[in-house]
Structures are given as structure tokens and as C-alpha cells.
Amino acid sequence: MSPDLPPVVPSVTAELVGALPPRLRKRLDAGVTKLVARPAVRDGDTVRIAVDDDTDLVLHAPGGAVTRADAIRCGCLLAPDCLHRAAAASAAPVADEAPAGDPEKPETPDEPETAPAAEAGDDAANAGRRAAARAVSDAAAAVLEAGTDGAGAVLQAELLHAAHTARLAGLPRLSAAAVAVVTGVRAARSGDPGYRLTDLAGALAGVLGVAHRLPHATGPELTDLRGTARQPYRPDGSLRLYGLFSEPVLTATGYAGAVTWTADAEGRLYTVSDVAPGGPARATGAADRAVRIGDTSLTHRELSRAGLAVSGATVSPTGRLGAGAGVRAVRASGVAWRAEPLDRLWAEPAAEQVSRALNGGRDLLFLEVTPVGAVRETAGDCLLADCDGLSVLLTTAHDDPSLPCRENLRLLAAAGRGRLRIVARLVPGPFPRALLLAAEHPADPDARVDLGLDRLQHADLPGGVVAPPDRALPAGDEAPLHLLRRRVHQAVSGGRRVLAFAGDRPDDGARLRRAGLATAGDLLDDLHAAAADRSRDAFGRLLPADTDRFGRSWLAAAVYTDAVERALCADAWGATATGAGGARPPATPIH
């Protein structure tokens, strides 16, 4: 996936790839690799790529995205049914297909957007939705069957086509889930530093789970599974907001920018965002752009420490402030984190905050910690901190070297001061872990540092501070759930074939049962059996694999793993977790 290319809507990619003859489809992945190596030149809404010395490929993206197939033009002799057009669409980030031009449209591409889809009033509409769910399920199962190693541009286009069909059928949640899988697969195949195997596994479980539950759902569950096509911005009168912090946004889909978090006098959180196609430079630059609300000239960096008085406010269900024509906003005074009304955010016990996050609420944590020292992990240094007797591992929110996250974390680990208030984002797992977003300044508790945007210097540290030695993680007993999780993740990367050979694995199922995880052992055995289940025809030739059975077995293992991991996370923090949030169990049996 190339961030230099403008985003392309799923239907365009599906159309261009679908129009290729079989001989060119076989060469598509090689064509994508070759095309992304060519320089792209942007001029306004147009991006031009020199395919060779005599041929140019041009992408027109009015409004920032390619929305029509004829907006991608090639000068080669085989155009318009050439490999270059399909390769460009397959290499570009996936654009949101929501209607453009609405000032209330959300500005982050990877969140659901405004009002519930209309109730189906006839059998034909219900049948259409079932067919669309089946198409998405089949296409996603095919991606899982192949794994990221084998899910090339053709399989991706088939899933994008199914996603477009789902959107047309009034299933925006399923469509968005399918697009998230394609985005993750592309990030994996391109070596994107932001790629996380866990995220892609979650996306696959999400799309397969929604597709599995939709045909059987009724009432409120059906409404929830269908999702919303756009987020409704409701009027919220006048608001007095206090800046909390800003964080950079840098997504695998090729979008970047900044989000500033604010709170009102009751502790309710609101956000203002500026996110658009771009890379790390846009993420850092957005902090110094004026916020897009009312007539205020405040930048995101300034708003994170100041305040805002808003009249005629409109707010989405997720707390995003609308920027409609009727909204007015002026600068107001801010307060320190230890002053009211922001002080109350840190008064809630950590366990209660984690419980809310695990049960479907916001995942921000407002903690008061004592830094203990640096901890070295494979992915890099982390900060071990004490939170009222609980050891918490704080990691960076972004690994991109152009952002100051990692260096700031190292300096905080060396700061040596006592209690420190921080804002972090929960990372579910068997050990208390969170992404560090903002912190009090190590030399001034009345100041704060946005760790993804501000850059600490050694001079900012209290005098005479010497970095403590690397610490080891606290030892503890851990249920061997990793034996199942590892196989779930291996299937995502390598596909069905990596689990197909029973003789190549230890008896992990028996080990899980000996540890008291009988269900995990049974699910693992079934997953291996489904992977190895191949029939032969009368001539001894292997028949096509049953991708549906393998997909259902994998989904059962993924849902179970997620549920147990959430329970372990709750236990680690002393919190409680219910069935809400995360990859929820299917409403009907998978087997």
C-alpha cells in the first residue's frame, strides 16, 4: 500500500481488477510491486506516475479520493483494460465510500459514521442482506484460507467487491469490517511499520463474526449488526470545554492528522479532529493548524492547554464535535490537570476505568503513577510504573521514528520524579499494559507533555537525574492460552496450510486441558482438524478445501481467545468484564 497515492473507494478497485483477463490477474501482484516503486508526483487533486519513459498513469481525486474508475487513466496501449490501472487501485489506500460534502462528516476514516439504516420492510431486502453477508463471509474466509502471504490483490478485490455489495444492501458495519481486513492485509504485505498481527486477527474475527450472526439476528441485535451509514450529530447547546491533550493520528490506511481531547465540567469527553490523507509529516504538522470549529484561531496544540466556549454545538455519539455552519466557538481559559474540573478524571479508581473500557466504554485511562524504570522488550523500551501497588507497563502509541513517542518515553523513565499523572490507552492483555499518550511535565506538575507531538529535552529533566537500569517484568503465573492464540495468529499470516499437518505440532490441546482449559484444547484440536480436512476425487486429486468449515473453526477459536484474554485483563487490573465490547461471542452456535 502506497501512502503517496490518493485513497480509492472499494467499488473502483473491484471494478478494475474484475475487468482484467485471467492472464493479467496472475501478474497483478507483481504489477503492484513494480508500480509502488515508481515515484508519484502530486499536483492538487491529481497524482501522476511515470510507468516508463513513454507512459504516464494519472489518478484524479477531487475531494481527496478516487470515486470513479475513469478517474484512473493510463497511456499504455492496453488501456483501459490494462494492468497499470488495476495495480494503482490495488496499491492505494482504501477510501471511505460515505457521501462527501457534509460538514458534519466525521474526519477519521476508520470509525463508523451517521444514522441507522432503514428497517427492511420486505422479504427481498432481507434476502439481499443475507446474500451480501454470505458474500462477505465467503470472501473473508478465502483471505483467511490464503493468509496474508497468499492474499494478493485479486482476493483483496473480491473482498472489496463484497464490502461494496454489503454497503449497498444497507450493512455499513459489515462493509467497514471487510474494508478493515483489506487494509490490514495490505499493511502486512507491504511491510508497513504500523502493522500489527493482533489487529488484523481482530478485524478478521470481526467481519466473520458479524457475517455469521446477521442471518439469525432480529430486533436490537440486528440494528446493531447492520450499523450506521453516518454518525448523527445531535444538538448539544452551549459547552464550556477544557483542553486535556492532543495526540497524532497515523493510520495504516494512509490517513494522518491530530485529535485534541477536551472535557466539560462534568467530566464528559469531547474531541476535535483534523485527519486527512497523508503521512507522518501531516500528523506532526496538524498540531499547529487551527482547529476546525467555529471562528476560533486556536491550534490543536494550544487547545490542548487552553479552553473553548462553544454555542450551537453538535456532537456525535462518540463525542466528536461537529463543525457545521451554525457552530460558534471562542477561546477560553484552560486549567491544569490537578485543578477542577479536570482533577476529577484522575479520582476514579483504575479498576473502574478498565472495567468501563472492557465493557464497551472509552478506552482512555487517567492514572497517577510512579515511574520505576525502563523495561526492554523485543519491540523496544517500555516504562514500568507503579499505580497504587499495581505494576503497569507503559508503551509507545506510535513507533514511527518521525514522531517523538519513543524518545519521550525513555526520558520519562530517566526523569526520576515521584508521582506523575498520565493519560494512556488500555491495551487488553494478561499483564496491565497501556499506550502512553500524555503526561505531566517531569519538572513542572502544572505543565503537561503530549508525548506524540511535543519533544522533551534532557534539559527538561530535574538536575542530576541518572537513568535507572533496565528492569525485568514482574514474574507471574500465566494460563497457557498462548498455545491457542499462537495458532489463531499463525493462520492469519500463513493461511490454512500452516495448521494442516498434525505431525508438525506438539500435543498442545492436551496441554491446555491439563491446565484446566478444556474448551481451549477442544477448539485447538478442531481448528487443526478443519485445516487438515481435504477430500480427494475418484482419481486421487485433492478437492478444493472447505473454507467455510475452516473459517467457522477459526472464528470459534478467535472469539474464545478474545473472551478469555479480556477476563485475564480484567483480573490483572482488579476490574470486571462482561460480554460487551471486544470481539463478542456469536449469538448462535458456530458449530
Side-chain angles (χ1 to χ4, degrees):
M1 182 170 59
S2 173
D4 296 329
L5 298 177
V8 178
V9 297
S11 56
V12 169
T13 304
E15 178 181 344
L16 293 177
V17 175
L20 291 177
R23 63 180 183 83
L24 290 184
R25 284 193 173 201
K26 295 178 181 178
R27 295 166 49 192
L28 181 55
D29 288 330
V32 170
T33 301
K34 188 177 297 184
L35 189 72
V36 297
R38 305 294 297 174
V41 178
R42 184 181 294 269
D43 182 13
D45 292 335
T46 301
V47 174
R48 187 178 302 274
I49 302 172
V51 177
D52 55 38
D53 292 340
D54 303 315
T55 305
D56 281 351
L57 180 70
V58 179
L59 294 85
H60 296 281
V66 176
T67 59
R68 297 170 55 91
D70 58 10
I72 302 179
R73 301 172 186 171
C74 184
C76 75
L77 296 177
L78 295 180
D81 297 327
C82 65
L83 184 69
H84 304 128
R85 297 175 71 220
S90 300
V94 184
D96 181 10
E97 284 195 293
D102 188 336
E104 303 285 72
K105 180 180 177 181
E107 297 162 31
T108 353
D110 48 357
E111 294 184 14
E113 305 158 272
T114 132
E119 278 291 334
D122 55 80
D123 292 341
N126 288 323
R129 287 183 176 127
R130 285 195 297 270
R134 180 74 261 176
V136 170
S137 179
D138 289 345
V143 168
L144 177 64
E145 165 85 9
T148 57
D149 296 342
V154 173
L155 284 181
Q156 295 169 28
E158 290 172 355
L159 185 51
L160 289 177
H161 176 72
H164 178 63
T165 301
R167 179 173 285 275
L168 294 179
L171 301 173
R173 177 178 172 183
L174 184 62
S175 176
V179 169
V181 170
V182 174
T183 296
V185 169
R186 289 183 178 180
R189 291 174 62 86
S190 65
D192 190 318
Y195 167 71
R196 296 291 182 272
L197 176 59
T198 301
D199 294 340
L200 178 54
L204 270 167
V207 70
L208 289 171
V210 172
H212 173 80
R213 294 160 60 198
L214 265 168
H216 313 284
T218 58
E221 184 190 15
L222 177 59
T223 301
D224 177 58
L225 290 174
R226 278 162 38 192
T228 57
R230 296 182 60 79
Q231 280 193 0
Y233 279 73
R234 54 176 173 77
D236 207 14
S238 297
L239 296 173
R240 175 63 168 93
L241 304 176
Y242 302 85
L244 270 169
F245 73 99
S246 292
E247 63 172 318
V249 174
L250 192 60
T251 75
T253 59
Y255 286 79
V259 173
T260 298
W261 292 79
T262 66
D264 67 8
E266 304 301 321
R268 291 186 294 263
L269 300 185
Y270 299 82
T271 60
V272 181
S273 62
D274 179 0
V275 179
R282 193 183 193 286
T284 54
D288 295 313
R289 292 192 183 91
V291 298
R292 297 170 55 186
I293 177 171
D295 300 323
T296 179
S297 60
L298 277 172
T299 66
H300 283 268
R301 195 185 303 274
E302 292 170 335
L303 177 57
S304 69
R305 293 158 175 82
L308 202 64
V310 186
S311 62
T314 57
V315 184
S316 80
T318 59
R320 182 182 290 122
L321 291 170
V327 180
R328 298 288 182 268
V330 296
R331 180 175 186 149
S333 60
V335 298
W337 281 359
R338 293 182 180 269
E340 287 294 343
L342 298 185
D343 182 68
R344 69 182 59 193
L345 294 171
W346 279 266
E348 184 179 18
E352 294 181 12
Q353 298 185 52
V354 171
S355 294
R356 181 181 58 248
L358 291 175
N359 296 324
R362 66 170 188 250
D363 58 0
L364 289 186
L365 303 179
F366 299 88
L367 307 176
E368 193 159 339
V369 303
T370 301
V372 174
V375 171
R376 188 165 302 278
E377 291 190 320
T378 304
D381 290 346
C382 303
L383 172 61
L384 186 64
D386 176 83
C387 180
D388 294 328
L390 183 70
S391 294
V392 178
L393 197 63
L394 301 172
T395 60
T396 56
H398 296 280
D399 290 327
D400 194 286
S402 63
L403 299 179
C405 304
R406 190 161 295 284
E407 184 59 28
N408 283 341
L409 184 140
R410 292 194 188 102
L411 289 174
L412 281 179
R417 65 164 286 188
R419 303 283 285 178
L420 190 73
R421 285 190 171 181
I422 64 170
V423 183
R425 179 168 285 118
L426 177 67
V427 178
F431 185 85
R433 180 186 292 261
L435 304 177
L436 189 57
L437 303 175
E440 288 179 329
H441 196 283
D444 182 3
D446 290 331
R448 67 196 73 158
V449 180
D450 296 333
L451 295 168
L453 298 171
D454 302 328
R455 195 175 291 276
L456 281 171
Q457 306 293 332
H458 283 280
D460 294 324
L461 304 184
V465 168
V466 178
D470 286 355
R471 306 293 180 113
L473 284 175
D477 295 330
E478 181 181 347
L481 187 67
H482 66 277
L483 298 175
L484 180 59
R485 184 198 310 117
R486 180 176 59 196
R487 300 304 183 189
V488 168
H489 288 176
Q490 281 179 338
V492 174
S493 294
R496 181 194 56 79
R497 64 185 180 276
V498 302
L499 305 181
F501 303 104
D504 292 343
R505 70 179 192 276
D507 194 0
D508 290 341
R511 182 179 170 188
L512 286 165
R513 281 184 283 272
R514 286 194 300 270
L517 296 173
T519 300
D522 292 345
L523 288 170
L524 181 57
D525 289 346
D526 183 73
L527 180 60
H528 281 295
D533 185 14
R534 295 292 299 274
S535 301
R536 296 181 181 270
D537 63 15
F539 299 99
R541 295 172 299 194
L542 281 174
L543 295 172
D546 185 349
T547 58
D548 186 58
R549 182 197 169 187
F550 179 65
R552 285 184 286 113
S553 296
W554 181 88
L555 176 61
V559 168
Y560 173 88
T561 303
D562 176 79
V564 174
E565 285 183 333
R566 286 178 0 97
L568 291 173
C569 178
D571 182 69
W573 288 88
T576 58
T578 66
R584 289 170 291 180
T588 54
I590 293 178
H591 296 291

